[in-house]
Amino acid sequence: DIANLPGTPQPADFVCQRGNSSSLTTWVNALSPSVSVRPNAGQNGSSRVTLIWSDNAIQKTWLRVQIQASSRTGLAQPYVFYFGNAIGEVGDSPTNAAVTALDQLLIRNNPLASSAPIVNRYDINRDRAVNALDVMLARAHATSGTTALQLITAPSTP
C-alpha cells in the first residue's frame, strides 16, 4: 500500500531478486512482474499496488522487492520488502521452514468445510476451506534440508 501515490508505477519502479540464503550476493534477478494499482483499496485509503508473476515463478525461495524512489511512486528513498514462499508450510517450527509430514498432519487435523479466515495457516490454497486439497498441496511441495526455505536475516538497508 502506498499513500498519496502520485502516478502509476511501472515494472521499472521495482527491483526484484530471489534467493534462499542470507547472502544477497547469491541472489538472482527475478522475472519482471506485471503491476496493477487499485486506488483507495489499501489501508487508510492508500493505493494498493499488486505485483504479479506467472505461476510458479516464485516458489521455495525468498523474494526481495525494492520499490524505487521515483515520480510515479512518490517515495523519497527506496523501500524494501522480503517475502518467503514455502507452499504447505504452516508455521509449526520457529527454527525452520521445511514442508514436512508434520505440516500435512496439522492441516488434516484442522479441517474447516467453509468460511476459513483468509489468514488461516492451514488453508494453503486460500479457498476458505481446509480440506484434503490443502493436505495434497503440502505433500506435493514437501522439502527438506537445502530444498527447504532457509530462515534468513534480512539486511536493514536497501
Side-chain angles (χ1 to χ4, degrees):
D1 293 352
I2 300 177
N4 305 313
L5 189 66
T8 302
Q10 302 298 310
D13 292 312
F14 302 90
V15 176
C16 303
Q17 297 172 299
R18 60 183 178 82
N20 197 18
S21 79
S22 287
S23 175
L24 292 180
T25 60
T26 64
W27 290 31
V28 297
N29 289 334
L31 295 174
S32 185
S34 62
V35 180
S36 75
V37 177
R38 292 176 289 157
N40 303 312
Q43 195 168 40
N44 298 320
S46 61
S47 294
R48 173 123 328 144
V49 179
T50 304
L51 304 180
I52 303 166
W53 284 268
S54 60
D55 288 349
N56 303 314
I58 309 292
Q59 66 179 2
K60 297 181 184 179
T61 190
W62 285 95
L63 176 65
R64 179 184 184 272
V65 176
Q66 178 174 307
I67 306 172
Q68 301 290 71
S70 77
S71 60
R72 290 182 297 266
T73 65
L75 298 176
Q77 62 187 25
Y79 201 86
V80 177
F81 295 89
Y82 289 85
F83 304 91
N85 180 283
I87 299 167
E89 211 291 306
V90 299
D92 58 298
S93 171
T95 61
N96 72 66
V99 180
T100 65
L102 180 56
D103 294 291
Q104 297 168 39
L105 181 64
L106 288 168
I107 295 166
R108 187 174 31 191
N109 288 344
N110 289 280
L112 274 175
S114 62
S115 67
I118 196 68
V119 294
N120 185 300
R121 66 184 183 167
Y122 306 114
D123 183 11
I124 304 305
N125 62 355
R126 299 294 180 244
D127 67 354
R128 302 186 88 75
V130 178
N131 54 32
L133 183 54
D134 297 297
V135 175
M136 290 171 27
L137 286 167
R139 184 176 298 137
H141 292 91
T143 61
S144 64
T146 58
T147 65
L149 185 68
Q150 304 301 305
L151 298 183
I152 67 168
T153 302
S156 58
T157 60

